[in-house]
Amino acid sequence: MTDQPDAGLRAIISERRHLINLAYRLLGSVAEAEDAVQETYARWYAMSRRQQEAIASPGAWLTTVASRVCLDVLGSARARRERYVGEWIPEPLPDHTEWAGAAADPADRVTLDESVSMAFLVALEAMTPAQRVALILHDVFRYSFAEIADVTGRTPAACRQLASSARRRVRDTPATPPARRARLVREFRQAWEAGDLDALVALLDPDAVAIADGGGLASVISQPIAGAERIVALLVHLEDRLRTMTFLERTVNGEPGLIAQVDGVTVTVFSFEVVGDRITHIWAVRNPEKLRQWATG
């Protein structure tokens, strides 16, 4: 009898990693995800033991509450991001072996797969909060539309429509093999370091777009740069800064990327979208508040 509460507690705590994974995909921020999960557990522990025992599936209850908390956060996040200085890019994540020096609690680490690629997270930013919740819960976590309806307060049919409209916002591009993506990122780094402008232009799609996020805390170009030649001109402009940096190839959100370090401290994380044999998007995160998992790279 005395072991039963402990077993129940362990079962509740064991849901934490699932909740962190869900909340990060919904919010695009580890800090906001951690806060949402903390709020979810606070609501669980605010209930009496009798109320807790009346819940048939605590895991499902936690997921529902966490999703609702995230839905509320997404509603307020739109207003906050309108006041954000410059472009807002989701928080980039390192490989598990480098997550906060590999010392973080495994329950707080996000599983890296195609649903956390920077391209996918950026696409989510263009969706309404309800679309985002419906798509992530159904397509990523395989919840039924009846379950999603309980989260959003809408009918299952309405949730199905939300997911369908959200799906149309995600570009359906052929997957580029990981080895080819890694090769292109490596060639990009080598060409940039060598100042080989022709090679850089050849690696970029003619309509490529580069976006930087400094959050008002680090210097960046405030507007997206469109076009391969304009991007290369910007890279040339940054040549003096390159001399103080070391560029390393790293996994960023589960895909090949780059980090820039100064004296061993990561100051920029680069994510890339590759279509075919060309780089179509570059996302550069310099906001130090979004680089805490990369402190020492």
Side-chain angles (χ1 to χ4, degrees):
M1 293 293 292
T2 57
D3 289 338
Q4 191 62 34
D6 289 340
L9 178 61
R10 285 196 298 272
I12 290 298
I13 293 175
S14 70
E15 295 291 327
R16 179 172 174 83
R17 182 164 190 177
H18 165 73
L19 298 176
I20 287 287
N21 272 275
L22 171 65
Y24 172 75
R25 285 162 174 79
L26 289 175
L27 303 176
S29 162
V30 174
E32 289 184 349
E34 290 171 342
D35 288 345
V37 172
Q38 186 70 21
E39 172 64 19
T40 300
Y41 277 110
R43 295 186 187 186
W44 172 265
Y45 289 117
M47 295 190 297
S48 67
R49 177 60 62 85
R50 178 174 295 180
Q51 289 173 315
Q52 292 173 352
E53 291 175 346
I55 295 173
S57 175
W61 185 93
L62 290 168
T63 296
T64 298
V65 172
S67 299
R68 288 174 178 166
V69 170
C70 289
L71 197 54
D72 290 340
V73 173
L74 285 169
S76 62
R78 284 187 175 274
R80 292 202 311 276
R81 287 170 191 170
E82 286 176 0
R83 299 191 299 269
Y84 191 82
V85 179
E87 299 291 321
W88 191 95
I89 297 175
E91 180 180 344
L93 296 182
D95 184 76
H96 293 155
T97 59
E98 297 182 3
W99 182 288
D105 184 339
D108 290 334
R109 299 179 191 168
V110 176
T111 301
L112 302 178
D113 58 26
E114 64 276 4
S115 67
V116 295
S117 73
M118 192 59 72
F120 185 71
L121 294 179
V122 168
L124 291 177
E125 286 297 309
M127 302 178 190
T128 67
Q131 285 176 328
R132 191 165 181 164
V133 168
L135 181 71
I136 292 296
L137 284 177
H138 183 266
D139 286 22
V140 178
F141 291 94
R142 303 303 177 189
Y143 284 86
S144 70
F145 288 116
E147 293 170 307
I148 299 169
D150 191 37
V151 172
T152 62
R154 308 186 187 204
T155 65
C159 291
R160 183 185 298 275
Q161 181 59 38
L162 282 170
S164 177
S165 59
R167 220 171 278 125
R168 289 194 292 271
R169 289 177 173 267
V170 180
R171 284 177 298 166
D172 186 18
T173 55
T176 302
R180 187 185 303 170
R181 293 201 303 267
R183 175 177 58 80
L184 286 171
V185 171
R186 180 175 300 113
E187 290 176 356
F188 178 87
R189 175 183 63 80
Q190 292 170 342
W192 192 7
E193 291 178 330
D196 189 338
L197 307 188
D198 291 338
L200 282 170
V201 170
L203 289 167
L204 294 170
D205 184 89
D207 297 319
V209 177
I211 301 174
D213 177 346
L217 301 174
S219 60
V220 296
I221 301 299
S222 59
Q223 299 293 326
I225 304 298
E229 293 186 357
R230 292 187 65 202
I231 292 173
V232 170
L234 171 63
L235 297 179
V236 172
H237 177 71
L238 298 175
E239 187 174 354
D240 287 343
R241 188 179 297 173
L242 290 181
R243 297 190 181 97
T244 66
M245 294 183 179
T246 301
F247 287 86
L248 302 170
E249 295 169 32
R250 291 289 186 268
T251 297
V252 181
N253 284 62
E255 299 190 334
L258 296 176
I259 65 172
Q261 293 187 334
V262 175
D263 297 328
V265 176
T266 300
V267 294
T268 311
V269 173
F270 297 91
S271 301
F272 299 85
E273 182 178 33
V274 174
V275 177
D277 284 314
R278 297 287 183 93
I279 294 169
T280 59
H281 283 83
I282 303 172
W283 295 283
V285 176
R286 287 180 48 77
N287 183 345
E289 293 182 349
K290 295 183 178 183
L291 301 179
R292 60 193 184 115
Q293 305 298 342
W294 300 83
T296 58

